[in-house]
Each structure stands twice: as C-alpha cells, then as structure tokens.
Amino acid sequence: MVTLGAPTVSDHVALAEIELCGELMIAASAAHGERLSADRIDEVLDVKVSTERTTVTDRTTVTERTTVPRQGDHRG
C-alpha cells in the first residue's frame, strides 16, 4: 500500500519539467522542418536573454547568450 503525503518541492519541479517537455513536443510536432531552432525552443519555453556578449578575435565574431527560463524568475 502506498501512503500519499504532502507534495514536496521536487514534485513541483517534476511537474514543471513535464509541462516544459509537453510544450516542446507540441511545438516539434507542429514544426515544418526536421528540428526546432534554438530561437524557437527559447520562444516555446518562454526564455529571455538576460545578457549578450560579442567577442571579435582573429576575424571571427562570437556572440554568447545567457538565457534564463521563466521558472528562474520565480525562485526566491
């Protein structure tokens, strides 16, 4: 017999992860291409760019982005 207790923090985290996976699966099934682009994934997951840094070395431009998922905004 399984005893059900009060929900724990990990339950909320697991439910959030399941929701995000579901959103990605829906977007992937509606996509016209073979894969979702990184920008489309960020859009589906409601990710915002918090910082962006561009570095130019040896004639190569590299742009690094740090993203924050919407769940990160709610952490205390």
Side-chain angles (χ1 to χ4, degrees):
M1 183 168 139
V2 176
T3 304
L4 298 177
T8 64
V9 173
S10 61
D11 292 338
H12 299 291
V13 172
L15 290 174
E17 290 177 356
I18 291 167
E19 179 185 351
L20 294 175
C21 288
E23 291 175 14
L24 282 173
M25 285 189 269
I26 291 168
S29 67
H32 296 288
E34 191 173 306
R35 298 175 186 228
L36 293 176
S37 68
D39 289 336
R40 179 65 180 133
I41 291 171
D42 287 351
E43 180 184 336
V44 169
L45 299 179
D46 195 21
V47 174
K48 66 180 180 181
V49 175
S50 63
T51 59
E52 189 167 310
R53 180 179 68 156
T54 302
T55 307
V56 179
T57 57
D58 297 328
R59 300 179 191 170
T60 303
T61 302
V62 177
T63 301
E64 298 175 8
R65 296 182 343 165
T66 303
T67 57
V68 178
R70 65 177 175 231
Q71 290 81 5
D73 291 338
H74 302 294
R75 292 185 185 146

